Amino acid sequence: MADTARASALLAPRSYVDGARLGSGPALRVTDPADLSTVAEVPTAEPADFERAVLAARRAFGGWSRTPAAERTGLVLRFLSSLEARRRELEDTVVAETGALLPSVRTLHVAGAIEQARAAVRIHASLPEEEHNPVPLDDLVAGGRVVTSVIGWEPLGVVAAIPAYNVPLFLALWKVVPALLTGNTVVLRPSPLAPLAVLAAGEAAEEAGLPPGVLNVLVEEGTAGAVLMTSAPEVDAVSFTGSSAVGAAIAAQAAPTHKRVMLELGGKSAGVYLPDAVGRAADGIAVVMRAMAGQGCVLQTRVLVPKETKRRVLNEAADRVAALRLGDPRDPSTDVGPLISDAQVRRCEDHVAAARGHGGRVVAGGRARRDLGGHFFEPTVVDLDDTANPLAQEETFGPVVSVIGYRDLDHAVELANDTVYGLSGAVFGAADRALAVARRIRSGTVLVNGGYFGPFASSGGRRHSGQWRERGREGIRAYQQLKHITATAL
């Protein structure tokens, strides 16, 4: 069990539906992936509770969508302030339930999540609710009457929001806040692997005075509630972050009712290092390991370097990775924390074994470290001959990086694009050449020499990595329906 002092600082909120806290189902045991201790036991919501939440959101939509935008904005800001007041407890809770390193939890998972949500408020305020549609002058006069063409933006309705476990509060807020600002109501279902920080959104909604039914938050151990959310005719849109396989299932569940489906799914991003930037590759590989122990869909887990420098990169990467320390995410000396579950550890084991079976050579790491008392896997670097190896094709979601050599820049682009995914990527090198390569990579986002990851630039995937965008202007507009109005004088 978690020690008493630590447990007292952790949040253990309940599901929140139609302005009331509930949870009559079996308790969900949330464990700390670093030491397998119990973080909290939270009563789960039953399928009937999910149905109640959907109907409450449907009823609340009319009043919320007609609420003046300035009033909605004020309530959303109060909601964010309520979360900010719980910042310390949220930090401790996120570390305990995800195993993420404390420094990243402070900067990204909690403070970063709230700051970016506040930026969404500013972005929304800059967008017009209605704008004139430019039409050539000779088309504006029909039969001697002047025609006006206007584009309007309206809320979708009820949004089912399902974030992933790796950065739970961050992902939740980038669904909830744009949806609420634009007049939608929300049913939010956190991952049962890391539900606690997201469940706190229910308490914050109550404290901020959001009308009942506008934001509902429910946790479950299985998937019955999620299936109800994604298939119910009362739900107008689904926003999901997670695996490509689950995203495909959600799209199928939503199809009969023609919901809008916004998906941020898996990735197998390539980091392309041009000849003048090869010296940065080993550090780039270490960044992947340190970032949530590799549990990030946008992380560059395929590293592409010139063939003639590949051996040097592998040696430097092996030395760099060997120096990384696995351990307690609260310890400042820890470089790589645990994975979320033993199932994820086994996935890393299976992928490394498959890579070896197809000719891959492990140059660092490659083993589970269950002796450390939690869900740990060694930071691992694998030398691959090409992208035909399954490790170069399948998303591992762990601290496992492959290194592949390219002949020239055309070959580098070919290798980068040899994937069913298309979420993110990166190019490192002199800006002009790096930009030219970046433009040829088929991915929703490409960073050049680090690029920009912030609230004012959207991200999103292609192909098996999903559809629609999050953050930025596009991330706000995703929760709105375009309406075209034309009018002529009587």
Side-chain angles (χ1 to χ4, degrees):
M1 295 290 290
D3 65 78
T4 303
R6 192 175 84 191
S8 65
L10 302 180
L11 298 171
R14 298 165 69 94
S15 295
Y16 179 75
V17 174
D18 202 14
R21 303 180 197 188
L22 57 80
S24 59
L28 170 67
R29 180 173 175 260
V30 181
T31 60
D32 187 326
D35 61 14
L36 310 188
S37 64
T38 298
V39 176
E41 292 187 353
V42 184
T44 55
E46 303 277 18
D49 297 322
F50 280 86
E51 183 175 6
R52 178 184 165 194
V54 167
L55 295 176
R58 184 81 262 160
R59 288 193 305 272
F61 171 66
W64 182 249
S65 62
R66 292 191 297 270
T67 299
E71 186 177 338
R72 288 200 306 264
T73 296
L75 287 167
V76 169
L77 287 171
R78 285 170 61 181
F79 164 72
L80 294 174
S81 294
S82 182
L83 287 174
E84 173 67 25
R86 294 168 167 81
R87 182 181 59 81
R88 178 60 185 274
E89 292 87 351
L90 284 168
E91 290 171 355
D92 292 340
T93 300
V94 171
V95 173
E97 64 180 339
T98 68
L101 301 186
L102 182 56
S104 72
V105 168
R106 287 174 173 160
T107 57
L108 173 65
H109 291 246
V110 178
I114 295 170
E115 288 168 8
Q116 290 214 11
R118 287 197 172 111
V121 174
R122 301 201 302 275
I123 296 168
H124 174 256
S126 73
L127 299 178
E129 292 186 9
E130 194 172 85
E131 52 194 322
H132 289 285
N133 180 45
V135 177
L137 184 61
D138 55 351
D139 279 358
L140 282 175
V141 180
R145 294 184 300 173
V146 176
V147 176
T148 299
S149 178
V150 176
I151 297 296
W153 300 92
E154 299 179 346
L156 299 173
V158 176
V159 174
I162 308 175
Y165 67 78
N166 53 342
V167 275
L169 186 63
F170 184 94
L171 295 173
L173 291 183
W174 264 108
K175 300 177 188 304
V176 169
V177 170
L180 295 181
L181 288 170
T182 49
N184 302 280
T185 54
V186 178
V187 181
L188 173 62
R189 183 238 188 225
S191 167
L193 294 171
L196 302 178
V198 177
L199 280 172
E203 293 184 351
E206 182 178 38
E207 189 174 284
L210 288 178
V214 168
L215 176 59
N216 309 273
V217 193
L218 303 92
V219 65
E220 63 177 339
E221 188 162 15
T223 59
V227 172
L228 187 150
M229 291 166 62
T230 56
S231 58
E234 296 85 1
V235 172
D236 301 283
V238 181
S239 179
F240 169 75
T241 302
S243 73
S244 298
V246 176
I250 286 174
Q253 291 156 17
T257 49
H258 301 282
K259 306 181 196 310
R260 178 173 294 182
V261 180
M262 297 167 272
L263 304 171
E264 185 182 44
L265 306 178
K268 198 70 182 179
S269 301
V272 181
Y273 290 83
L274 304 188
D276 60 314
V278 165
R280 299 178 62 178
D283 283 340
I285 290 170
V287 167
V288 173
M289 313 299 189
R290 294 172 61 98
M292 297 169 290
Q295 297 171 109
C297 51
V298 299
L299 297 176
Q300 297 136 36
T301 54
R302 293 183 300 147
V303 170
L304 309 180
V305 298
K307 278 185 176 290
E308 61 272 18
T309 64
K310 182 182 177 185
R311 178 51 51 192
R312 168 192 157 193
V313 170
L314 287 168
N315 289 338
E316 291 175 352
D319 291 342
R320 185 76 173 82
V321 166
L324 297 177
R325 182 177 180 273
L326 282 166
D328 184 344
R330 302 164 190 83
D331 186 336
S333 67
T334 295
D335 298 302
V336 181
L339 300 178
I340 194 67
S341 66
D342 191 60
Q344 205 56 39
V345 174
R346 292 196 302 272
R347 183 176 179 87
C348 291
E349 290 179 307
D350 292 344
H351 280 207
V352 171
R356 281 184 166 126
H358 288 78
R361 295 164 294 281
V362 175
V363 299
R367 298 179 304 147
R369 292 296 307 276
R370 294 181 178 88
D371 58 299
L372 296 178
H375 303 311
F376 292 94
F377 194 85
E378 292 178 335
T380 300
V381 180
V382 184
D383 176 9
L384 301 184
D385 291 328
D386 52 46
T387 52
N389 193 291
L391 185 61
Q393 295 296 327
E394 299 175 16
E395 184 180 45
T396 304
F397 225 59
V400 180
V401 174
S402 59
V403 178
I404 305 168
Y406 62 81
R407 295 186 302 272
D408 52 35
L409 294 187
D410 287 340
H411 188 217
V413 171
E414 177 187 335
L415 293 173
N417 290 335
D418 183 19
T419 175
V420 298
Y421 297 105
L423 184 60
S424 186
V427 184
F428 300 88
D432 54 346
R433 298 181 71 199
L435 284 167
V437 172
R439 291 189 174 101
R440 297 172 63 188
I441 293 177
R442 295 196 299 270
S443 183
T445 301
V446 183
L447 307 176
V448 173
N449 294 325
Y452 169 76
F453 178 82
F456 297 94
S458 70
S459 65
R462 303 178 182 180
R463 304 188 301 282
H464 287 218
S465 290
Q467 57 193 23
W468 291 89
R469 311 286 292 186
E470 290 194 306
R471 299 193 305 277
R473 292 169 55 94
E474 297 83 3
I476 303 292
R477 292 301 194 200
Y479 292 91
Q480 295 179 305
Q481 183 67 53
L482 184 150
K483 176 188 280 186
H484 180 210
I485 299 174
T486 61
T488 59
L490 290 175

